[in-house]
Amino acid sequence: MTDELIRMTAREAVRRLGKKEITPLDLIDAAEKRIAACEGALNALPTLCLDRARDHARALMRGERREAEGEAGWLAGLPVTIKDLTDVAGVRTTYGSPIFKDHVPTASHPLVERIERKGGIVIAKSNTPEFGSGGSTFNEVFGRTTNPWNTSLTCGGSTGGGAASLAAGEAWLAHGSDHAGSLRRPATYCSVVGLRPSPGRVTRGTSNNLYAPLSVQGPMARNVPDVALFLDSMAGFCPRDPLTFDAPAQSFSEAVAARRLPRRVAWSADFGGVAPMDSETREICAKAAQRFKELGATVEEAAPDVGQIADAFMVLRAQSYVVDRELQIAQYPDKFKQDIIWNTKLGLEATPSRIGWAERERAAFYRRVAAFFETYDLLITPGASTPAFDVTRRMPEKIDGKVVEHYLGGSLITAIPTLMGVPSLAVPCGFDQYGRPVGLQIVAPPRGEAALLAAGTAFEELTGLDKQVPIAPRSGKVPPA
């Protein structure tokens, strides 16, 4: 029974919970057993809160805390995981930082409150790089998280623990966040699905960067319809986030079922040579993108002109580090990894003129993006610039023979859609010669999650790759760089 429960989709589990064929306690027990079996190899969920979860489950089963029953995104007692950057009341939340290694918040993040109101039950905190900075998940508090497909490889970052836990069957849904690809790159590396929603779709609540659209919160799951379900539990106006807006009249789950398909799709391997790309990844993804023809779409090689947006991204990202980390670094100068200090220093050294230029560049880029989506329904790219690399490394040393200068050098393929201000979805599309997962990134027009999720579901049904997870963690060798 445990294995059967673990292999259920989130939607099937919610359906069976609604019919009382299973209980939330059954699912918590199944997750606990799977976590015990896998965590020694993965280190994906370092903080468990199973007693709290069972108390929550019993309250739901008694008929308490069901005020959102019947609403879109109702999870009916389904266990979920929350990234360790996001507060859960009474549960150790470290942000991957030794400064907060013993921190236990007394209040939950507004998004966690919303998920729990919608019937989600938090069972664990998922591992993340220190303050979410990095394309590989490790920190001084909990150590490294590995990839279930090959535990010698990284699971990506920064929602690496969430992606690894899904692929291994430790959970049905995983919450995460995304700045330069943190929901999309780990999903690609672990052959699951991650969605970066539009800015304002999901509350960021307690962020100090409340008026900046770079970082968002969002869902991850083993298939696209489950991502739609989880997004339904997250989306909507929040008075503590000024960028949020109301959830749509038609739920995302309903939009997936309605199956509106794209007519004209653009494909770009690297945004015109701006984003470095592994050659085999390029070939696999190019073939996968052509499969949209089977869905009735035309596929053309095209992308919006990115101009100097890669340089603008570095300026704007660095400003977010000034907001978030300047005061902490001054207080604890020896407690931060060098990547964070470097990013913050870049921000402090930027002149007002340079910041003004970056903002103008971003605005001009968005206007080109809006015009681009007047012609194309979707834009498809690879989901990551390389397959998963050695788990002991911060980043790939080279991409297609070119040296990577800093840890963001391998993230431009996902960072550029971040600067577009639009939703983007990572969905599996195959494996390389060493058995490492490869995925597509599907990018939609502004606030186009409904069409994006419908197209992602149709593509997923063509490949059947969602049926290959969950898997038991596998050991293996590191492929040659």
Side-chain angles (χ1 to χ4, degrees):
M1 182 65 171
T2 295
D3 189 63
E4 178 189 348
L5 293 176
I6 285 298
R7 294 188 175 279
M8 278 183 190
T9 66
R11 289 165 298 120
E12 175 63 11
V14 168
R15 186 189 70 79
R16 293 189 62 180
L17 285 166
K19 291 189 172 184
K20 295 184 168 46
E21 296 173 357
I22 57 175
T23 71
L25 292 173
D26 293 331
L27 296 177
I28 294 170
D29 289 346
E32 181 179 24
K33 290 177 182 177
R34 185 69 171 187
I35 291 166
C38 296
E39 273 301 285
L42 291 184
N43 190 35
L45 302 177
T47 300
L48 303 182
C49 49
L50 297 173
D51 289 341
R52 181 185 186 277
R54 289 187 171 99
D55 287 345
H56 187 176
R58 293 185 186 102
L60 281 176
M61 293 165 68
R62 289 193 300 266
E64 305 169 18
R65 305 178 71 176
R66 304 181 71 94
E67 64 270 27
E69 186 172 7
E71 293 183 11
W74 173 246
L75 299 178
L78 183 72
V80 304
T81 66
I82 302 295
K83 190 175 181 178
D84 198 31
L85 299 180
T86 303
D87 288 354
V88 176
V91 180
R92 184 186 182 193
T93 302
T94 73
Y95 320 119
S97 167
I99 300 169
F100 294 96
K101 63 184 177 64
D102 299 316
H103 174 59
V104 179
T106 57
S108 291
H109 187 281
L111 180 57
V112 174
E113 292 177 352
R114 183 185 293 263
I115 291 168
E116 291 189 327
R117 186 179 70 84
K118 289 291 186 83
I121 295 181
V122 178
I123 57 169
K125 303 303 294 293
S126 63
N127 205 20
T128 179
E130 183 179 326
F131 293 113
S133 297
S136 185
T137 295
F138 64 91
N139 59 63
E140 291 186 13
V141 182
F142 297 120
R144 299 182 184 278
T145 299
T146 66
N147 191 317
W149 293 90
N150 179 345
T151 55
S152 295
L153 303 177
T154 181
C155 58
S158 63
T159 314
S165 68
L166 288 169
E170 295 181 326
W172 293 264
L173 298 174
H175 152 272
S177 57
D178 189 300
H179 186 114
S182 291
L183 277 158
R184 293 162 285 164
R185 191 173 179 184
T188 296
Y189 283 0
C190 294
S191 201
V192 295
V193 181
L195 172 71
R196 176 188 167 87
S198 302
R201 179 69 72 188
V202 176
T203 181
R204 295 155 303 143
T206 58
S207 170
N208 286 323
N209 274 293
L210 274 178
Y211 289 88
L214 293 181
S215 290
V216 300
Q217 307 272 327
M220 192 181 282
R222 294 198 291 258
N223 62 55
V224 180
D226 284 357
V227 163
L229 169 68
F230 203 16
L231 182 61
D232 280 328
S233 77
M234 296 181 173
F237 171 73
C238 173
R240 286 176 277 185
D241 185 339
L243 297 189
T244 55
F245 47 88
D246 290 339
Q250 182 188 49
S251 74
F252 296 109
S253 294
E254 291 169 341
V256 164
R259 204 59 61 86
R260 175 185 157 200
L261 297 178
R263 293 175 177 269
R264 194 172 183 184
V265 170
W267 152 255
S268 178
D270 53 17
F271 288 103
V274 173
M277 186 58 55
D278 169 76
S279 58
E280 187 180 7
T281 296
R282 179 191 300 265
E283 293 172 6
I284 293 169
C285 291
K287 291 179 181 177
Q290 295 301 316
R291 299 206 66 181
F292 277 80
K293 293 178 179 177
E294 299 174 44
L295 302 176
T298 60
V299 180
E300 305 169 22
E301 189 159 350
D305 176 12
V306 301
Q308 295 179 277
I309 201 63
D311 291 336
F313 171 73
M314 295 300 294
V315 175
L316 297 169
R317 176 182 170 89
Q319 293 311 304
S320 73
Y321 273 77
V322 174
V323 173
D324 286 335
R325 305 293 158 229
E326 179 188 14
L327 300 182
Q328 289 179 334
I329 291 173
Q331 187 175 2
Y332 304 102
D334 300 324
K335 296 290 187 180
F336 286 84
K337 68 180 182 180
Q338 287 304 307
D339 289 335
I340 295 176
I341 293 172
W342 170 73
N343 262 294
T344 307
K345 184 180 179 182
L346 285 180
L348 292 169
E349 292 175 346
T351 65
S353 178
R354 184 66 170 166
I355 296 168
W357 167 83
E359 288 288 5
R360 291 191 295 272
E361 189 70 15
R362 171 163 58 177
F365 180 47
Y366 182 79
R367 288 189 283 269
R368 295 194 297 271
V369 168
F372 178 85
F373 281 118
E374 290 176 3
T375 299
Y376 295 100
D377 298 319
L378 298 172
L379 168 65
I380 300 172
T381 77
S385 286
T386 71
F389 49 90
D390 188 335
V391 72
T392 65
R393 299 191 180 278
R394 295 165 50 245
M395 61 187 188
E397 295 178 348
K398 295 181 179 181
I399 300 177
D400 199 25
K402 298 177 182 177
V403 174
V404 177
E405 295 182 5
H406 51 73
Y407 82 98
L408 290 169
S411 298
L412 282 176
I413 197 69
T414 46
I416 290 171
T418 291
L419 269 293
M420 289 180 174
V422 299
S424 51
L425 180 75
V427 61
C429 73
F431 298 87
D432 76 353
Q433 62 185 306
Y434 300 106
R436 294 177 294 183
V438 178
L440 293 182
Q441 174 178 234
I442 310 174
V443 185
R447 298 191 181 181
E449 284 90 343
L452 176 62
L453 291 164
T457 299
F459 175 78
E460 183 175 77
E461 289 175 352
L462 288 178
T463 69
L465 290 172
D466 59 306
K467 307 297 190 297
Q468 296 201 23
V469 289
I471 59 169
R474 306 169 182 175
S475 60
K477 296 180 180 180
V478 178

